[in-house]
Amino acid sequence: MSRGFNEREKQVITNSLIEQGRILFSKLGFQKTSILEITKNVGIAQGTFYKFFNSKEELYFVILEMEEEKIKEQFANVDIFKENQPNKAIKSILRQMINTIETNPLIRELYFGSSMKDMLKKLSPELLEKHFKNDATSFLPLIEKLKNKGFIIEENPEVIAGVARSLFVLTLHQNEIGVAVYQETIELLIDLIVDGLIKVEGI
């Protein structure tokens, strides 16, 4: 029978599982990375893994959320009013975020490694719902800043977050969109989304 872990040990092991998961998922891909290999690198028994995560999919999802937070933080403090053209600044941020997504191996693996279907089947609805709510909440500071400057945003944060997710997912389907027109299509969608969501009061 394995001994229990105190809170400090639990945190250390959780962090180690996340770190080793990130390394192995990036190097080998989701499908080829085994729980055994992750736990071996951490120095715990394979069965102990399930004291911390319900599945390999859940660990991968947690790592993806952390990658997403890094992307959000990267642009959270950008002064969108610096040049008195907030729409232009937001479009620039979206383009940079898309570039980050296009080059992030963990996010690319999720879509191109056929991991999405497996992950969604094994994640609890509560976990996904929490993720979507966090996405919506992350837009609240930006919405408040714009409203305080006299801009009108009628759609609720959940819809705005859904639109953003839809845009990012499209970046992973270049072939279906058409490689020749992909870049122009994304540029036009960014213009339509930002200009459609953010309106100047009185216009």
Side-chain angles (χ1 to χ4, degrees), residues 64-74 134 138:
L64 279 174
E65 284 197 307
M66 294 174 74
E67 292 297 303
E68 184 179 292
E69 285 304 310
K70 287 181 186 175
I71 295 172
K72 290 176 183 176
E73 288 173 11
Q74 188 177 350
N134 286 342
S138 69

Side-chain angles (χ1 to χ4, degrees), residues 3-151:
R3 70 178 182 84
F5 299 104
N6 61 39
E7 289 306 312
R8 182 180 176 281
E9 289 173 327
K10 286 179 182 177
Q11 191 59 58
V12 169
I13 294 172
T14 299
N15 291 342
S16 296
L17 287 170
I18 289 171
E19 182 58 28
Q20 288 304 315
R22 180 186 286 108
I23 292 169
L24 291 170
F25 289 139
S26 297
K27 181 181 178 182
L28 304 176
F30 177 79
Q31 299 293 350
K32 292 183 179 179
T33 298
S34 68
I35 291 176
L36 176 60
E37 191 160 10
I38 294 171
T39 54
K40 182 180 176 182
N41 285 6
V42 172
I44 61 173
Q46 183 176 355
T48 305
F49 175 89
Y50 298 98
K51 292 179 180 290
F52 298 88
F53 297 96
N54 292 321
S55 63
K56 183 174 73 167
E57 286 78 9
E58 185 176 293
L59 172 61
Y60 191 67
F61 187 75
V62 168
I63 293 170
L64 279 174
E65 284 197 307
M66 294 174 74
E67 292 297 303
E68 184 179 292
E69 285 304 310
K70 287 181 186 175
I71 295 172
K72 290 176 183 176
E73 288 173 11
Q74 188 177 350
F75 303 105
N77 297 319
V78 174
D79 184 2
I80 61 172
F81 300 107
K82 186 176 181 180
E83 297 179 6
N84 295 318
Q85 293 181 295
N87 282 38
K88 182 179 178 181
I90 293 170
K91 290 174 187 179
S92 177
I93 290 171
L94 284 174
R95 292 187 190 100
Q96 292 176 64
M97 291 179 79
I98 284 172
N99 180 66
T100 302
I101 289 170
E102 288 176 337
T103 55
N104 185 299
L106 285 165
I107 297 175
R108 302 302 287 177
E109 167 65 19
L110 175 63
Y111 291 93
F112 291 120
S114 302
S115 309
M116 174 67 86
K117 199 171 288 185
D118 292 335
M119 178 176 295
L120 291 178
K121 282 192 293 188
K122 294 195 176 183
L123 293 177
S124 69
E126 293 79 14
L127 188 61
L128 289 172
E129 184 63 25
K130 181 182 176 183
H131 173 73
F132 293 144
K133 284 183 178 179
N134 286 342
D135 272 357
T137 301
S138 69
F139 281 95
L140 291 176
L142 175 61
I143 292 171
E144 286 304 310
K145 284 181 185 178
L146 289 164
K147 286 183 175 180
N148 289 337
K149 291 284 186 177
F151 291 87

Side-chain angles (χ1 to χ4, degrees), residues 179-193:
V179 175
V181 297
Y182 166 75
Q183 197 59 50
E184 288 181 63
T185 302
I186 294 298
E187 290 286 335
L188 179 57
L189 282 172
I190 289 173
D191 286 341
L192 293 172
I193 289 169

